[in-house]
Amino acid sequence: MNQSPALQRRLGPLDAVAIGLGSMLGAGIFSALSPAAAAAGWGMLAGLAVAGVVAFCNATSSAQLAAQYPTSGGTYVYGRERLGEWFGSAAGWAFVIGKTASAAAMALVFAAYVAPPGWGKLVACAAVAALTLVNVLGITRTALATKVLLALTLAALAVVVVIGWNRPAAPAQASDVVPSLPGVLQAAGFLFFAFAGYARLATMGEEVREPARTIPRAITLALFLALGVYALVAVTALRALGPSGLAGSAAPLAAVASMPDAAWSGIVVTLGAAAAALGALLALIAGIGRTSLAMAREEDLPRWLAAVHPRFGTPHRAELLLGAVVCAVILVSDVRGAIGFSSAGVLLYYLVANAAAWTQAPEHRRYPRLLQLLGAVGCLALSFALPSVSWLGALGVLTVGLGYRWARRRISRGPGTPGSRTAL
């Protein structure tokens, strides 16, 4: 393996759980409930359970692999080590594709809550630039900022739950969607976006103290904490607004907390949504930057991206380039398209993670193989439940990435090398 400067192990157990939880309690909980309710009505709770099961299976695979391979890169590294270089490259590209789109979506959600009309994309790009700088300045600053934003998010969600249970329950409506299996799976696909940050720690294994012990515990604890919060908020929203009311609301949690005698509640929820989006965006930039670092070390991305800042100990070139790419995506896309594209890419990434965990030897196995099989099947099912444009687009960009790898290998052989006709 090509060598480059190592990152520094500065994250303890509390930092790890905070980053994992902050990655999940992002803008997804403020935006995914409406389309999920539109797809399945009260069946969105079953969809939440399905998404949670798939997320749990994926998280256990990631945790098991991270304990054996405590280095930056997540499934990019695991795929290379367990399945071969091409699988690792596919996982790395799927992660970068999906999470770059997710970062753009988070920035756009933040801007939707705080930006004046007509300024949304500019504010979203400014948020990306600011949080990219925070990441470049050091991982301990990232962890501290994530804790602050997580506290604000939890406070906003607490306001939603308290007010939601102190208002009359919404009556049943003839327009309420009747749950069905396709609807439940589609709802699960939307809600999986809200879970998608649970294994972000696996991409930061080189910066966690005692990674073999800390990472598995932090991933599973953060996942179950987030699932509990999601379930409570989803039940509250359905009770307060009903399936039709929830499906028709552009800002569902703000609608739950909206009461004539509590105008302050809307402000709190708006601030909480903004904090959630920023927290998720902050962790996304950190995770993508470290996967890009690992890919650059193996030359699946340009080698100059493997640089680690001599003072701050961060992959500064990868993160600065990432910030520029995310801003470009913001300028040409919208939230719905970014979410669908993100989910498709991330599900492909975890498909490789489950396959890699399946091959681990008994001494490295922490969970039964049934969980890896269930996770792989779940990833495929939720992928194809998404709109076809999402998974076809993700497969298309993934093909381009693997084509880059093939071309680079051809070039590295040079003319006259056996198996190569000409230099490209």
Side-chain angles (χ1 to χ4, degrees):
M1 178 180 290
N2 293 316
Q3 298 297 318
S4 65
L7 302 175
Q8 300 179 27
R9 298 193 183 277
R10 296 176 174 175
L11 299 178
L14 181 60
D15 297 321
V17 173
I19 289 177
L21 190 57
S23 299
M24 284 181 282
L25 292 181
I29 189 60
F30 290 89
S31 60
L33 295 181
S34 290
W42 277 94
M44 68 173 279
L45 296 178
L48 178 62
V50 171
V53 169
V54 174
F56 176 73
C57 293
N58 295 346
T60 56
S61 292
S62 295
Q64 182 172 286
L65 288 159
Q68 183 177 357
Y69 304 104
T71 187
S72 290
T75 301
Y76 171 71
V77 173
Y78 313 150
R80 289 179 63 91
E81 295 291 337
R82 306 302 314 171
L83 304 172
E85 293 183 358
W86 283 98
F87 285 94
S89 182
W93 273 96
F95 182 88
V96 171
I97 291 165
K99 293 304 184 180
T100 299
S102 184
M106 293 300 178
L108 287 166
V109 170
F110 165 75
Y113 276 89
V114 303
W119 289 78
K121 291 185 180 291
L122 181 60
V123 171
C125 289
V128 171
L131 294 188
T132 298
L133 180 61
V134 170
N135 269 294
V136 168
L137 291 178
I139 189 61
T140 53
R141 293 174 177 82
T142 299
L144 176 60
T146 299
K147 291 176 190 176
V148 173
L149 295 172
L150 176 60
L152 293 173
T153 302
L154 289 172
L157 294 177
V159 169
V160 170
V161 170
V162 170
I163 292 180
W165 284 93
N166 279 280
R167 60 185 293 172
Q173 301 288 333
S175 58
D176 288 348
V177 174
V178 177
S180 65
L181 179 58
V184 167
L185 289 176
Q186 189 175 87
F190 284 119
L191 292 168
F192 184 82
F193 175 76
F195 279 107
Y198 53 85
R200 190 71 36 72
L201 284 169
T203 68
M204 304 174 75
E206 201 170 316
E207 294 160 280
V208 176
R209 297 194 297 269
E210 299 184 74
R213 175 185 178 189
T214 300
I215 292 177
R217 294 183 178 182
I219 288 176
T220 52
L221 178 57
L223 175 63
F224 279 107
L225 288 173
L227 180 58
V229 173
Y230 287 169
L232 181 58
V233 172
V235 171
T236 301
L238 281 168
R239 177 189 177 276
L241 302 179
S244 295
L246 182 58
S249 176
L253 299 192
V256 172
S258 177
M259 295 185 71
D261 58 345
W264 57 269
S265 63
I267 297 175
V268 171
V269 173
T270 297
L271 291 175
L278 288 178
L281 178 59
L282 184 68
L284 277 167
I285 293 171
I288 304 168
R290 281 142 184 83
T291 297
S292 299
L293 169 70
M295 294 178 70
R297 284 171 172 172
E298 301 296 339
E299 297 185 348
D300 281 324
L301 286 174
R303 178 68 180 167
W304 64 272
L305 292 175
V308 174
H309 196 282
R311 177 181 176 186
F312 302 122
T314 56
H316 59 295
R317 291 180 183 173
E319 289 183 339
L320 290 171
L321 178 62
L322 168 66
V325 172
V326 171
C327 287
V329 174
I330 288 170
L331 296 176
V332 300
S333 67
D334 58 21
V335 174
R336 182 178 295 272
I339 287 176
F341 194 74
S342 171
S343 294
V346 173
L347 286 164
L348 289 174
Y349 173 83
Y350 286 118
L351 176 64
V352 177
N354 284 302
W358 176 274
T359 69
Q360 285 182 279
E363 61 267 25
H364 297 295
R365 182 165 299 284
R366 294 168 177 257
Y367 306 97
R369 277 184 165 177
L370 177 62
L371 291 179
Q372 287 114 55
L373 177 61
L374 186 60
V377 172
C379 286
L380 288 173
L382 295 190
S383 292
F384 290 109
L386 292 167
S388 59
V389 67
S390 297
W391 56 267
L392 285 174
L395 287 176
V397 179
L398 178 60
T399 300
V400 171
L402 294 178
Y404 165 81
R405 185 176 196 275
W406 176 82
R408 180 187 58 77
R409 289 166 65 88
R410 291 265 309 214
I411 292 171
S412 66
R413 290 183 185 141
T417 302
S420 176
R421 296 178 184 174
T422 59
L424 295 180

